[in-house]
Amino acid sequence: MTTTAITNIASLVTNDPSLRADSPLGLIQDAAVVIEGDRVVWTGESSKAPATDNAVDAGGRAAIPGFVDSHSHLLFAGDRTEEFNARMSGRPYSAGGIRTTVAATRAATDDELSANVARYLAEALRQGTTTFETKSGYGLTVEDEARALRIAARHTEEVTYLGAHIVSPDYADDPAGYVGLVTGAMLDACAPYARWVDVFCEKGAFDGDQARAILTAGMAKGLHPRVHANQLSYGPGVQLAVELDAASADHCTHLTDGDVDALAQGNTVATLLPGAEFSTRATWPDARRILDAGATVALSTDCNPGSSFTSSMPFCIALAVRDMGMTPDEALWSATAGGAAALRRTDIGRIAPGARADLVLLDAPSHVHLAYRPGVPLVHAVWQHGRRVV
């Protein structure tokens, strides 16, 4: 395999805490990275870089790990512009808006759905996202959920079964019957294509007992749990996630002291999705409170057509710093290594020997510019699996 050195990096974020006792980012100044095949094989000072087959001059730019977007909903069709416009004119967001997308998604062809996923993935890649998770949840029939996951699996290995997004409109008068479908025939059809099982544990969606039944059924099929938890109100989602050792509890907007303590004491990552609060004018999650308690935090886009229609991790970093109490270092770590932790991955979210060679060059001398210059397209180049793709 050929080797490539990226040299003259002004500031390299490795996310290797062993390199710097004062920061989990493991910053190296005037740095270089050596890639062999799809892996990082060396990092260090640029002047000490070993000889390689190829060389790339970073031109004094900063380098960071590729973003890990651990929560998205890209298997959909249709448009909800009117809903957004109405909400920005005073109507609050509620879980029921999902039904609009369900109707459009059921009517779409496989090719249309796949093209939609590819479009948003390309959009995210241009903004530095090299790993993403995505979910079903807009089909809500056995056939439509299975085909959504089948399509998703063509684009990513991080596929989540979310038949329990809301109670299907077909079962509006029989929620127990729908839970039976989600834990029975639908799960049987979907499990072969998924790694994860998820549930929207929220008023208007699924309560704690229903969520537990859905998650444990998925676990029995070999799927790993994650939970939409405590987004719109206080509820049992976070503590259920920790109890079941879910990889992540996502949203975490409304937390009691007991919820925060549970996150701090367990292995479940608190995944915060500031795009949702921005797009719904909702209460911001208190990242500072969660971090100070000692819990692990991830940042993600929650890219979906209803409540957070953004694929931009840099935008979410800027929001987290401005409105959620995070420092620029914490926000970047959460958007890279934190996302990897939310997917229980150690091969991504860092630039260190043995890691997958996913990295981003910024048109800036420091990663701090991601929050310092919000809305500016700072991504200069992207490597994914060791290949330059942007």
Side-chain angles (χ1 to χ4, degrees), residues 132-146:
F132 78 98
E133 175 270 1
T134 200
K135 311 174 193 297
S136 64
Y138 291 124
L140 308 186
T141 67
V142 172
E143 179 181 353
D144 286 306
E145 287 293 295

Side-chain angles (χ1 to χ4, degrees), residues 67 76 163-164 198 232 293 298:
F67 296 123
F76 71 90
D198 197 349
L232 306 177

Side-chain angles (χ1 to χ4, degrees), residues 10-257:
S11 176
L12 172 65
V13 174
T14 68
N15 283 344
D16 182 353
S18 68
L19 298 180
R20 289 277 298 272
D22 61 334
S23 171
L25 296 185
L27 291 171
I28 304 175
Q29 306 300 328
D30 189 18
V33 176
V34 175
I35 298 170
E36 182 176 6
D38 68 347
R39 297 287 150 173
V40 174
V41 295
W42 185 89
T43 62
E45 295 177 11
S46 197
S47 62
K48 299 177 182 178
T52 57
D53 300 310
N54 305 301
V56 175
D57 188 337
R61 296 178 175 88
I64 62 173
F67 296 123
V68 180
D69 191 344
S70 61
H71 182 127
S72 74
H73 302 253
L74 301 183
L75 268 299
F76 71 90
D79 181 86
R80 284 160 68 179
T81 303
E82 290 184 7
E83 175 190 325
F84 176 79
N85 190 33
R87 186 166 66 239
M88 292 299 101
S89 302
R91 187 179 76 206
Y93 168 67
S94 66
I98 294 168
R99 293 177 179 84
T100 303
T101 302
V102 168
T105 303
R106 288 179 178 179
T109 67
D110 288 11
D111 287 345
E112 288 170 339
L113 291 177
S114 187
N116 217 29
V117 174
R119 170 189 173 191
Y120 294 117
L121 289 187
E123 184 180 278
L125 186 63
R126 292 193 298 270
Q127 299 174 88
T129 297
T130 52
T131 301
F132 78 98
E133 175 270 1
T134 200
K135 311 174 193 297
S136 64
Y138 291 124
L140 308 186
T141 67
V142 172
E143 179 181 353
D144 286 306
E145 287 293 295
R147 74 164 179 147
L149 295 177
R150 186 171 62 249
I151 292 167
R154 300 174 192 163
H155 298 275
T156 181
E157 58 200 325
E158 300 296 347
V159 177
T160 300
Y161 167 49
L162 183 60
H165 202 177
I166 59 167
V167 173
S168 169
D170 307 321
Y171 285 79
D173 298 323
D174 185 17
Y178 186 66
V179 171
L181 181 69
V182 168
T183 58
M186 187 182 289
L187 174 61
D188 291 341
C190 290
Y193 305 106
R195 181 182 178 204
W196 306 97
V197 59
D198 197 349
V199 60
F200 190 8
C201 184
E202 184 60 67
K203 294 175 182 176
F206 298 90
D207 64 25
D209 290 340
Q210 292 169 327
R212 181 189 300 278
I214 290 161
L215 294 172
T216 54
M219 293 166 69
K221 283 285 189 179
L223 304 181
H224 305 284
R226 49 202 320 110
V227 183
H228 280 63
N230 301 53
Q231 176 187 2
L232 306 177
S233 61
Y234 294 97
V238 164
Q239 298 211 32
L240 177 62
V242 175
E243 176 193 333
L244 297 180
D245 194 32
S248 66
D250 297 25
H251 289 286
C252 294
T253 307
H254 299 276
L255 301 181
T256 65
D257 289 345

